[in-house]
Amino acid sequence: MRNLILGGARSGKSRLAEQLASASGLPVTYIATSQPLDGEMSERVSLHRQRRPADWGLIEEPLALAAVLRTEAAEGRCLLVDCLTLWLSNLLMLEDDQRLAEERDALLACLEQLPGTLILVSNETGLGVVPMGELTRRYVDLAGWLHQAVAERCQRVVLTVAGLPLMLKGAAL
């Protein structure tokens, strides 16, 4: 079962993903894509760590997401990726369009073949004002295209707003 959980900042998407992972009854591996490069991000990472059960595995991978998913996915196992937009930002900051395309294509190619349960978390960035800067517009465009392609490959897609799940695709929670 592949799940995509979208939402804005502080919408409850990560908490929902963690609840789904716990409710699965499967061993969980949390795949973190963030890079705590400043105090604020370090604080966010710390809050996520405190919330997670101690028996969950943890892999921190900011770039090679598809490779980790192919290695870690297995029947009877749940992988929770938080989050795709941070992963996309990490790739954008490399300023290497070929690497970005390769990593994106590798992710999309492997999604439908992965065994087990997969929960992908991502920030919905397309609901606001069109950004003024070129890099920000590119990021929003890339995130939107990525979300469309990932949603196409998932059985369940959820938009989380104010801590409430809105089912976009698949069975209700």
Side-chain angles (χ1 to χ4, degrees):
M1 174 69 137
R2 290 174 306 281
N3 303 271
L4 173 61
I5 301 177
L6 300 167
R10 299 291 188 236
S11 65
K13 62 189 175 298
S14 293
R15 188 172 31 123
L16 176 62
E18 292 162 4
Q19 290 168 350
L20 286 175
S22 288
S24 75
L26 301 171
V28 177
T29 299
Y30 186 99
I31 302 168
T33 62
S34 69
Q35 298 183 87
L37 302 175
D38 59 40
E40 188 271 339
M41 185 55 90
S42 293
E43 188 175 317
R44 283 179 182 252
V45 168
S46 178
L47 290 172
H48 278 258
R49 283 184 181 141
Q50 291 169 20
R51 228 177 28 216
R52 286 195 302 268
D55 63 333
W56 284 13
L58 171 65
I59 296 173
E60 295 177 336
E61 178 50 59
L63 300 171
L65 182 56
V68 169
L69 292 174
R70 283 191 304 270
T71 300
E72 298 296 321
E75 286 298 329
R77 193 168 193 195
C78 178
L79 302 180
L80 192 166
V81 177
D82 200 352
C83 83
L84 292 179
T85 42
L86 284 175
W87 169 75
L88 182 61
S89 294
N90 296 338
L91 289 166
L92 267 172
M93 292 299 104
L94 292 178
E95 297 183 14
D96 180 348
D97 289 344
Q98 183 175 344
R99 174 81 188 269
L100 189 154
E102 288 170 357
E103 294 293 342
R104 180 200 59 227
D105 293 349
L107 174 66
L108 295 175
C110 81
L111 280 181
E112 292 178 287
Q113 301 163 6
L114 296 173
T117 298
L118 178 62
I119 303 170
L120 302 160
V121 177
S122 201
N123 290 289
E124 176 51 61
T125 59
L127 296 175
V129 175
V130 176
M132 290 177 58
E134 179 185 348
L135 178 60
T136 311
R137 279 192 305 275
R138 182 168 181 233
Y139 167 76
V140 170
D141 288 349
L142 288 170
W145 293 324
L146 178 66
H147 291 157
Q148 289 179 53
V150 170
E152 187 178 297
R153 290 160 173 81
C154 288
Q155 289 97 358
R156 181 186 293 144
V157 180
V158 181
L159 176 65
T160 308
V161 180
L164 302 172
L166 174 63
M167 298 307 301
L168 301 178
K169 179 182 178 182
L173 299 176

